[in-house]
Amino acid sequence: MEFSYLATKASEVRSAGAAPVTPIRTGDDYRASLRGRQLKVYLFGELVPEPVDHPVIRPSINAVAETYELAARNPELASALSPYTGERVNRFLHIARSAEDLVLQNKMQRRLGQLTGTCFQRCVGMDAINSLHSVTYEIDAAHGTPYHQRFLAFVTDMQRRGYVIGGAMTDVKGDRGKAPHEQADPDMFVHVSRRTADGVYITGAKAHQTGCLNSHWLVVMPTMRLGPADRDYAIVGALPVDAPGITYIYGRQSCDTRAMEGGSIDPGNREFGGQEAMIVFDDVFIPNEHIFMDGEVDYAAMLVERFTCYHRRSYVCKSGVGDVLIGAAATIADYNGVEKASHVRDKLVEMTHLNETIYSTGIAASYQAQPMKSGVYLCDDMIANVCKHHVTRFPYEISRLAQDLAGGLMVTLPSEQDLNAPEVGDLIRKYLKGRPDIPTEDRMRILRLIENMTLGRNAVGYLTESMHGAGSPQAQRIQIGRQMQLDFKKALAKVLAGVAPATAAEVTTDLAEYMGRVFNPPGARDA
């Protein structure tokens, strides 16, 4: 059964160029495309009959739908001309052919953060396909494998159909002190469980998978550097979200059940939300034509490092979410009648300074991109890690300042049901009013939004995901440490201080690695 199903899917990919395909263009098209897939999704201990209709899941679907709507409204920002289809495709499916493409990714990400106030879930897939473009090319060059052409065929089909690609990288890991092949349970890392002439079967689980249910296809990737004994774990492949053998266990989010209460105030952001789930693979088939790495352990680290390079500067999206939170903090100050107080103004300036620092480093990493051998552009690794390291800190301080300006009422507000209750509703409107010209309900809505973003379900994406997504803080510090070129900087100091044996020539000609990228002309390849 599994093989015949996946073989049909693979046949659809191969024949896409021959048969006309109507791509998904609008948010409504996208929502309709998710129906009837018979996914095996568990939430609150129950099998979800239709995820599209579940009130906890629906806001995350709306957030992805906005990526289609933005492309329709502003095609220059959120779509691009594909060299593979000859048509405009959603920018989340585009392979970056220039530094400008990467810059536009960042601008799109900030705008979507502004429009949704949450995680819109497509960045992992976008960064995965851009990483795989160069890695599959270099594996083929070294080993004569057919991965790159397979990959291009897959991407071309996804572009023609306008699908959402989800990236599945983070394994559950088990004992963190042991390599994949050393685990007591081999399923702690996704691995090839058996092979046939037609493809491979994989078993294991991926954790914290953003937007996985809301995707059409998944790209499974290794999560770490691998050794020779980990060959079965060095697997990269694409498979449909509804492939037989996959179970999704939906992740809880703070205050998530407010979406089930039917109101519009207490959720804070009723329309949009994020999504994480655990994906369990139980002997799931991937046909040969959708395998892009199989056993090439030496390239696992390359893939992880290039993916995290893209993905760490993709956290520029938090600046868009930060714009919303800064706006909410400024609004509640207005509603409280203290917008002109100097300390309020100073806190808003500090929030803006932190937010723009995130954006500045993210977009700088994209501007300082360089072409890979395959032709795809890769953003600057040093600045990308600096961007993500800012993101592990600054949203927390922005949130603290927002809570400072909001006041304690943010967490002691009565419920929306009480506001609408005839016995106490008028008392709430009377005693929880701020400025007399501002309705109490409006004040409550803004306070609930701040709660949602700093403590509730969208704090998942703005805070904890900012800490651990694309690698926890120490991962960025390791990468920054590898590239800080202390010997070069010591030579600079010695020349100016007159300390031998450093010479001026030594510090003007030895511009390699990160400094080479700093001073190379835009678009030049790092030597």
Side-chain angles (χ1 to χ4, degrees), residues 30 34 37 39-42 48 51-52 57 60-61 121 209-216 218 241 247-251 275-279:
Y30 165 69
L34 300 184
R37 298 187 295 171
L39 300 183
K40 193 176 180 182
V41 180
Y42 284 89
V48 179
V52 176
I57 299 174
S60 68
I61 294 173
Q121 305 152 58
Q209 293 306 293
T210 299
C212 54
L213 275 70
N214 299 339
S215 302
H216 298 101
L218 299 171
V241 167
T247 300
Y248 300 91
I249 306 173
Y250 208 88
Q275 177 189 100
E276 283 78 31
M278 182 166 69
I279 310 175

Side-chain angles (χ1 to χ4, degrees), residues 160-237:
R160 286 197 174 106
R161 298 177 185 277
Y163 279 172
V164 174
I165 299 174
M169 178 171 276
T170 305
D171 289 289
V172 293
K173 296 187 179 75
D175 185 340
R176 271 65 171 170
K178 296 183 182 299
H181 73 277
E182 296 173 329
Q183 298 290 324
D185 184 342
D187 297 345
M188 293 299 98
F189 290 79
V190 170
H191 61 100
V192 175
S193 50
R194 60 190 175 105
R195 300 174 184 275
T196 69
D198 301 303
V200 301
Y201 291 78
I202 61 170
T203 296
K206 295 288 187 179
H208 326 306
Q209 293 306 293
T210 299
C212 54
L213 275 70
N214 299 339
S215 302
H216 298 101
W217 282 69
L218 299 171
V219 175
V220 176
M221 300 170 283
T223 194
M224 62 187 292
R225 184 182 299 274
L226 300 174
D230 298 314
R231 182 178 180 275
D232 284 337
Y233 297 89
I235 183 69
V236 177

Side-chain angles (χ1 to χ4, degrees), residues 53-181:
D53 295 326
H54 198 288
V56 170
I57 299 174
R58 184 74 174 199
S60 68
I61 294 173
N62 290 338
V64 180
E66 188 62 23
T67 68
Y68 289 93
E69 294 298 327
L70 181 62
R73 292 193 306 267
N74 191 342
E76 292 301 318
L77 178 63
S79 71
L81 183 63
S82 168
Y84 308 122
T85 68
E87 299 177 350
R88 295 198 76 85
V89 300
N90 195 288
R91 192 169 293 281
F92 283 104
L93 293 170
H94 184 56
I95 301 296
R97 304 173 70 200
S98 65
E100 181 184 4
D101 277 341
L102 293 172
V103 169
L104 286 170
Q105 286 180 3
N106 286 151
K107 291 178 181 289
M108 172 185 68
Q109 289 165 322
R110 182 167 187 169
R111 185 63 177 137
L112 284 165
Q114 293 176 342
L115 294 171
T116 64
T118 190
C119 174
F120 35 89
Q121 305 152 58
R122 295 190 69 176
C123 300
V124 178
M126 177 179 70
D127 296 335
I129 62 173
N130 277 274
S131 306
L132 283 167
H133 191 279
S134 62
V135 173
T136 55
Y137 183 92
E138 293 180 37
I139 296 175
D140 288 0
H143 297 287
T145 45
Y147 298 141
H148 191 64
Q149 288 306 312
R150 291 177 183 174
F151 171 75
L152 292 181
F154 169 72
V155 170
T156 301
D157 185 60
M158 296 298 102
Q159 291 181 348
R160 286 197 174 106
R161 298 177 185 277
Y163 279 172
V164 174
I165 299 174
M169 178 171 276
T170 305
D171 289 289
V172 293
K173 296 187 179 75
D175 185 340
R176 271 65 171 170
K178 296 183 182 299
H181 73 277

Side-chain angles (χ1 to χ4, degrees), residues 368-435:
Q368 195 160 287
Q370 58 179 337
M372 299 286 99
K373 294 174 182 177
S374 68
V376 69
Y377 271 66
L378 178 67
C379 51
D380 189 275
D381 190 43
M382 169 67 97
I383 310 177
N385 278 278
V386 170
C387 173
K388 177 53 175 56
H389 206 47
H390 285 329
V391 172
T392 67
R393 301 174 176 179
F394 293 172
Y396 286 88
E397 180 63 8
I398 294 170
S399 296
R400 185 188 71 81
L401 291 168
Q403 292 184 357
D404 185 350
L405 292 171
L409 190 59
M410 181 191 76
V411 291
T412 64
L413 271 176
S415 70
E416 184 174 351
Q417 291 95 323
D418 290 321
L419 178 66
N420 295 326
E423 297 83 0
V424 295
D426 287 343
L427 295 175
I428 292 172
R429 290 182 180 88
K430 172 183 174 68
Y431 288 110
L432 295 187
K433 181 173 279 293
R435 273 176 32 192

Side-chain angles (χ1 to χ4, degrees), residues 198-372:
D198 301 303
V200 301
Y201 291 78
I202 61 170
T203 296
K206 295 288 187 179
H208 326 306
Q209 293 306 293
T210 299
C212 54
L213 275 70
N214 299 339
S215 302
H216 298 101
W217 282 69
L218 299 171
V219 175
V220 176
M221 300 170 283
T223 194
M224 62 187 292
R225 184 182 299 274
L226 300 174
D230 298 314
R231 182 178 180 275
D232 284 337
Y233 297 89
I235 183 69
V236 177
L239 63 166
V241 167
D242 55 353
I246 300 181
T247 300
Y248 300 91
I249 306 173
Y250 208 88
R252 289 297 307 270
Q253 296 174 329
S254 177
C255 306
D256 54 7
T257 54
R258 290 187 186 183
M260 303 174 71
E261 295 172 2
S264 64
I265 298 176
D266 285 354
N269 182 348
R270 181 181 65 172
E271 188 71 14
F272 300 112
Q275 177 189 100
E276 283 78 31
M278 182 166 69
I279 310 175
V280 179
F281 300 94
D282 183 11
D283 214 30
V284 179
F285 180 70
I286 305 177
N288 288 327
E289 49 263 62
H290 290 153
I291 295 173
F292 313 132
M293 177 192 292
D294 183 12
E296 291 82 11
V297 293
D298 293 342
Y299 290 85
M302 176 189 287
L303 174 59
V304 172
E305 288 178 5
R306 290 185 184 176
F307 170 80
T308 55
C309 180
Y310 285 114
H311 203 49
R312 287 170 184 169
R313 59 93 227 190
S314 278
Y315 274 71
V316 78
C317 66
K318 305 308 176 191
S319 64
V321 179
D323 290 330
V324 177
L325 187 54
I326 292 167
T331 300
I332 200 61
D334 289 347
Y335 287 1
N336 289 340
V338 296
E339 71 276 9
K340 294 182 180 178
S342 61
H343 74 93
V344 170
R345 189 76 176 171
D346 187 62
K347 287 166 184 169
L348 292 170
V349 168
E350 178 64 10
M351 295 167 79
T352 301
H353 161 70
L354 295 172
N355 202 51
E356 296 305 326
T357 302
I358 292 171
Y359 177 70
S360 300
T361 48
I363 206 163
S366 293
Y367 270 113
Q368 195 160 287
Q370 58 179 337
M372 299 286 99

